Amino acid sequence: MMQGHAGRVGTLAWNGNILSSGSQDTFILQHDMRMPSLVAERRLVGHQEEVCGLKWSPDNKYLASGGGDNCLFVWDLHSLSPLQKYTRHLSAVKGIYSSLSYLNM
């Protein structure tokens, strides 16, 4: 059992030993499963509504997050702020393409 979210967790994404979770509370929490702590190692803040989708890039460097706020954010493995923001979607971003290599990071 892990703690940290104040709302329902609707999406999960694995990156090696790191489990990223997105929730109704608008946050993304990242837990290093090798650590005994039940508290999240990192908290990513950016979405204004529920985090609906998460997907790591094939090279495990970038995390894409989609939200009920119609936004798609791209996060770096080491950053707490999004590197890129896409805000022109007309509805919630729930499904994320499996390859983020086209972003030219």
Side-chain angles (χ1 to χ4, degrees):
M1 185 168 114
M2 292 182 286
Q3 300 175 1
H5 284 295
R8 173 182 53 84
V9 174
T11 184
L12 299 170
W14 283 97
N15 181 1
N17 294 312
I18 305 296
L19 176 61
S20 300
S21 58
S23 171
Q24 282 180 321
D25 62 13
T26 73
F27 304 119
I28 300 166
L29 299 182
Q30 295 184 326
H31 297 269
D32 186 336
M33 301 309 289
R34 297 169 295 186
M35 304 301 285
S37 174
L38 298 178
V39 179
E41 299 293 316
R42 297 178 67 219
R43 180 176 172 164
L44 306 180
V45 179
H47 286 285
Q48 299 300 309
E49 292 187 28
E50 177 177 4
V51 179
C52 303
L54 293 172
K55 184 70 176 182
W56 282 97
S57 63
D59 62 5
N60 296 322
K61 292 182 181 179
Y62 305 103
L63 175 68
S65 65
D69 54 4
N70 306 349
C71 295
L72 174 75
F73 295 156
V74 178
W75 311 81
D76 179 278
L77 179 61
H78 305 290
S79 176
L80 296 177
S81 301
L83 296 176
Q84 294 185 0
K85 300 177 183 181
Y86 300 92
T87 60
R88 294 188 179 189
H89 292 276
L90 300 177
S91 61
V93 179
K94 297 180 180 181
I96 301 172
Y97 181 63
S98 64
S99 174
L100 296 174
S101 59
Y102 65 90
L103 293 173
N104 294 327
M105 299 301 236

